[in-house]
């Protein structure tokens, strides 16, 4: 496999890199992703998958809010604010293991505190982020607060409602709409208090720095996949089938690394640099990271079924997680200026292949499934050089207020 120059990369000159504080903060992401992947160990059912999706999105949201805070604040970042957020994220990660028993309340409370702390950080700076409307519109936090008085399914339903509200805000509230809301709120408060106070100003993001941080998160998720396979292989009998699964898993992760980081932007596969508003890029990044983390758990499970058919849930976790990854890659390819026909050729055949494999390959051993996934991921990697993205003129610069 030849690795030619990536089709999209961030500017190389004058960019700011992650600080030691930001890299230290990312240790919570390492711990959190590892704990979340354990929710899918063994023979996961639909309930396990739904709980994983909820908790991953919540954990990623906390990480993202403090990542954007550090991105905008730069050298003015308050160390103790970040460390307090890091502690809250660590509590969220530690609560994952016993969330079905007695730690769901701890997870929810830590999430509420992390969100509140991030909101206070922006309030203290007197800024709002046009591309991150949930820094100003915190309606999605209300169901989490209400969930503290519920248990079981009702609690999880409230979590889902809160996250759905946040996603809806991210996808629908543009920078201009957010600016209008901030202006209206400021005018209302000024009239009520009858005194002037500093008006919140729009904070501009450092696009290359944010892209690096998002890419580092994807590396953390890929690293978890490596750790899952290594840990499972260390306890298995080493035979030809295990060698086949291990080699296939390594090649599969190599292909995902190439698609996401060398032929993508912001950790999103096949996305060209600076063509979508950040408020759209961030959810795509979350879904990609979540699918790869689920794939990490699936690969760890597959090691236990190297030479015989795994349970249907393991087969579907393998195929479904890669299907989500490929579907997002297709959406990113469209958003990056490729024609619909080209995007379909890039991801259509492998997406169909993994879905069919998940549906009909009931007798396939894990080693066969893993290598089928390798072939599916290799298709867009081989084809991507034949369909370079066309320039897209749109207001997607993270430092601009999009319409």
């Amino acid at each position: 496999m030849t690795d030619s120059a990536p089709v999209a990369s961030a500017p190389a000159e004058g960019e700011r890199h992650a600080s030691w504080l930001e890299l230290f903060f990312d240790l919570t992401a390492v711990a959190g992703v590892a704990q979340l992947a354990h929710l899918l160990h063994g023979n996961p059912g639909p309930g396990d998958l739904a709980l994983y999706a909820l908790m991953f999105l919540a954990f990623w949201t906390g990480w993202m809010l403090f990542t954007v805070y550090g991105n905008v604040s730069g050298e003015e970042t308050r160390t103790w604010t970040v460390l307090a957020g890091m502690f809250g994220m660590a509590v969220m990660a530690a609560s994952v293991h016993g969330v079905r028993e007695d730690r769901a309340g701890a997870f929810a409370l830590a999430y509420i505190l992390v969100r509140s702390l991030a909101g206070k950080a922006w309030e203290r700076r007197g800024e709002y982020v046009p591309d991150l409307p949930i820094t100003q519109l915190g309606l999605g936090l209300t169901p989490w607060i209400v969930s503290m008085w519920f248990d079981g399914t009702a609690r999880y339903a409230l979590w889902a409602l809160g996250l759905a509200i946040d996603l809806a805000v991210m996808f629908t509230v543009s920078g201009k709409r957010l600016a209008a809301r901030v202006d209206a709120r400021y005018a209302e408060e000024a009239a009520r208090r009858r005194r002037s106070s500093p008006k919140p100003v729009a904070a501009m993001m450092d696009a290359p720095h944010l892209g690096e941080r998002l890419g580092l998160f994807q590396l953390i998720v890929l690293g978890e996949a490596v750790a899952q396979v290594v840990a499972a292989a260390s306890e298995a009998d080493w035979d030809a089938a295990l060698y086949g699964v291990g080699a296939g898993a390594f090649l599969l992760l190599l292909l995902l690394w190439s698609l996401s980081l060398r032929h993508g932007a912001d950790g999103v596969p096949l996305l060209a640099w600076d063509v979508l508003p950040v408020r759209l890029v961030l959810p795509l990044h979350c879904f990609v990271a979540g699918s790869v983390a689920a794939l990490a758990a699936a690969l760890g499970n597959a090691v236990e079924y190297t030479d015989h058919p795994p349970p249907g849930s393991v087969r579907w976790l393998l195929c479904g997680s890669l299907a989500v990854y490929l579907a997002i890659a297709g959406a990113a390819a469209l958003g990056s200026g490729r024609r619909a026909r080209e995007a379909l050729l890039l991801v259509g055949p492998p997406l169909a292949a993994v879905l069919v494999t998940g549906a009909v390959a009931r007798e396939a051993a894990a080693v066969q499934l893993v290598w089928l996934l390798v072939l599916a991921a290799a298709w867009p990697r081989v084809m991507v050089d034949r369909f370079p993205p066309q320039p897209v003129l749109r207001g997607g610069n993270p430092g601009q207020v999009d319409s």
Side-chain angles (χ1 to χ4, degrees), residues 139-207:
L139 183 61
L141 192 57
T142 302
W144 283 82
I145 298 173
V146 175
S147 76
M148 297 298 296
W149 285 270
F150 291 85
D151 293 311
T153 303
R155 169 177 278 167
Y156 301 148
L158 287 166
W159 291 4
L161 175 61
L163 295 170
I165 291 173
D166 283 341
L167 285 176
V169 168
M170 289 290 290
F171 279 115
T172 60
V173 178
S174 67
K176 287 185 177 180
R177 289 182 61 189
L178 180 60
R181 286 172 179 261
V182 171
D183 290 344
R185 181 182 300 175
Y186 173 77
E188 180 182 344
E189 292 180 354
R192 185 172 62 249
R193 296 176 181 177
R194 295 184 178 180
R195 61 183 176 86
S196 60
S197 58
K199 181 180 178 180
V201 297
M204 299 296 102
M205 291 191 194
D206 185 328

Side-chain angles (χ1 to χ4, degrees), residues 140-381:
L141 192 57
T142 302
W144 283 82
I145 298 173
V146 175
S147 76
M148 297 298 296
W149 285 270
F150 291 85
D151 293 311
T153 303
R155 169 177 278 167
Y156 301 148
L158 287 166
W159 291 4
L161 175 61
L163 295 170
I165 291 173
D166 283 341
L167 285 176
V169 168
M170 289 290 290
F171 279 115
T172 60
V173 178
S174 67
K176 287 185 177 180
R177 289 182 61 189
L178 180 60
R181 286 172 179 261
V182 171
D183 290 344
R185 181 182 300 175
Y186 173 77
E188 180 182 344
E189 292 180 354
R192 185 172 62 249
R193 296 176 181 177
R194 295 184 178 180
R195 61 183 176 86
S196 60
S197 58
K199 181 180 178 180
V201 297
M204 299 296 102
M205 291 191 194
D206 185 328
H209 175 263
L210 181 63
E212 179 188 56
R213 300 283 282 121
L214 296 175
L216 286 172
F217 191 92
Q218 292 294 5
L219 280 178
I220 289 171
V221 176
L222 289 169
E224 176 58 25
V226 174
Q228 292 279 339
V229 174
V230 169
S234 67
E235 299 178 358
D237 295 330
W238 286 30
D239 53 20
L242 178 63
Y243 299 150
V245 169
F250 177 80
L251 186 53
L252 176 60
L253 297 176
L254 173 61
L255 289 165
L256 299 187
W257 165 80
S258 181
L259 288 169
S260 296
L261 300 175
R262 292 188 59 82
H263 294 274
D266 300 314
V268 180
L270 305 186
L271 179 66
W273 176 254
D274 200 17
V275 298
L276 293 178
V278 172
R279 65 185 177 87
L280 301 183
V281 171
L282 289 177
L284 292 179
H285 176 273
C286 177
F287 301 154
V288 169
S291 66
V292 176
L295 181 62
L299 290 172
N301 293 340
V303 172
E304 301 179 13
Y305 304 94
T306 52
D307 56 357
H308 55 283
S313 60
V314 174
R315 183 181 72 251
W316 268 115
L317 188 59
L318 280 167
C319 297
S321 55
L322 185 59
V324 171
Y325 180 93
L326 291 171
I328 296 172
L334 283 172
S336 299
R338 294 183 174 91
R339 293 188 293 269
R341 176 178 174 275
E342 294 175 351
L344 184 61
L345 285 173
L346 278 170
V347 302
L351 180 57
V354 295
L355 290 175
V356 170
T357 298
V360 305
R362 295 180 177 85
E363 301 303 320
V367 63
Q368 296 169 319
L369 291 173
V370 169
W371 278 97
L372 284 170
L373 298 188
V374 170
L375 294 176
W379 176 275
R381 175 58 194 88

Side-chain angles (χ1 to χ4, degrees), residues 12-210:
E13 297 183 0
E15 63 182 29
R16 175 177 130 231
H17 294 288
S19 67
W20 291 117
L21 177 61
E22 290 172 315
L23 293 175
F24 185 52
F25 176 79
D26 280 352
L27 293 179
T28 60
V30 176
V33 170
Q35 290 299 313
L36 289 162
H38 283 290
L39 289 174
L40 301 177
H41 276 189
N43 190 4
D48 300 312
L49 188 59
L51 184 59
Y52 162 81
L54 283 177
M55 299 185 72
F56 187 96
L57 181 53
F59 186 86
W60 177 91
T61 298
W63 175 86
M64 176 267 300
L65 287 171
F66 277 92
T67 293
V68 173
Y69 167 68
N71 174 271
V72 173
S73 301
E75 295 181 355
E76 298 178 356
T77 300
R78 295 196 175 196
T79 300
W80 286 108
T81 297
V82 175
L83 293 179
M86 181 179 180
F87 179 79
M89 297 286 292
V91 173
M92 291 176 67
S95 303
V96 171
H97 181 70
V99 71
R100 294 185 182 88
E101 287 77 36
D102 57 354
R103 297 181 189 170
F107 184 89
L109 180 59
Y111 176 76
I112 293 167
L113 293 176
V114 166
R115 284 288 303 267
S116 301
L117 183 61
K120 288 295 182 182
W122 291 113
E123 183 179 330
R124 187 166 49 243
R125 288 183 59 83
E127 294 177 329
Y128 69 93
V129 186
D131 280 306
L132 194 61
I134 61 174
T135 59
Q136 284 288 322
L137 306 177
L139 183 61
L141 192 57
T142 302
W144 283 82
I145 298 173
V146 175
S147 76
M148 297 298 296
W149 285 270
F150 291 85
D151 293 311
T153 303
R155 169 177 278 167
Y156 301 148
L158 287 166
W159 291 4
L161 175 61
L163 295 170
I165 291 173
D166 283 341
L167 285 176
V169 168
M170 289 290 290
F171 279 115
T172 60
V173 178
S174 67
K176 287 185 177 180
R177 289 182 61 189
L178 180 60
R181 286 172 179 261
V182 171
D183 290 344
R185 181 182 300 175
Y186 173 77
E188 180 182 344
E189 292 180 354
R192 185 172 62 249
R193 296 176 181 177
R194 295 184 178 180
R195 61 183 176 86
S196 60
S197 58
K199 181 180 178 180
V201 297
M204 299 296 102
M205 291 191 194
D206 185 328
H209 175 263
L210 181 63

